Amino acid sequence: MINKQLNVIVRFELKEEELETLVSQIRDFFEKEVSRFPGFISAKIHQNQERTVLINYATWDSSESFQKFVMELASVSPIAKKIQAFNPKQDMVFEILL
């Protein structure tokens, strides 16, 4: 079986004053921990104009790498626990076809 890249899209619904704190925590998490994890490719953060919705878009080399990340890092990281306090919704996980 060929591993296909995976995009993970996580959505946060926020109060405007929460945005900067969350962005800082996500950047910290990706720079200090996620970027070093095997299989991670890239990440982007998007916000709406009202600053009440933040979308975190991450690309992984495979579903297996992402699942390993969830079990070994995301479930134990103190930074990830702070991010979880913002009640993220993992809207979608997609394999990249093109």
Side-chain angles (χ1 to χ4, degrees), residues 31-90:
E31 288 173 8
K32 292 181 178 176
E33 298 180 2
V34 182
S35 64
R36 295 182 177 100
F37 202 88
F40 172 74
I41 296 173
S42 66
K44 300 285 185 208
I45 302 172
H46 307 269
Q47 71 181 34
N48 68 345
Q49 287 183 328
E50 296 79 17
R51 301 171 50 91
T52 57
V53 175
L54 184 132
I55 305 289
N56 176 2
Y57 178 98
T59 304
W60 292 84
D61 70 357
S62 68
S63 178
E64 293 78 14
S65 293
F66 175 67
Q67 292 305 320
K68 189 172 182 178
F69 157 76
V70 169
M71 294 185 319
E72 295 180 10
L73 180 61
S75 62
V76 298
S77 164
I79 301 171
K81 289 179 183 184
K82 289 179 185 178
I83 294 168
Q84 289 295 318
F86 287 92
N87 298 314
K89 303 194 180 24
Q90 186 173 316

Side-chain angles (χ1 to χ4, degrees), residues 9-25:
I9 302 169
V10 180
R11 176 185 176 95
F12 298 86
E13 295 182 15
L14 308 163
K15 296 176 182 148
E16 184 178 348
E17 63 271 11
E18 296 174 318
L19 183 83
E20 291 306 319
T21 299
L22 180 57
V23 168
S24 176
Q25 289 174 354

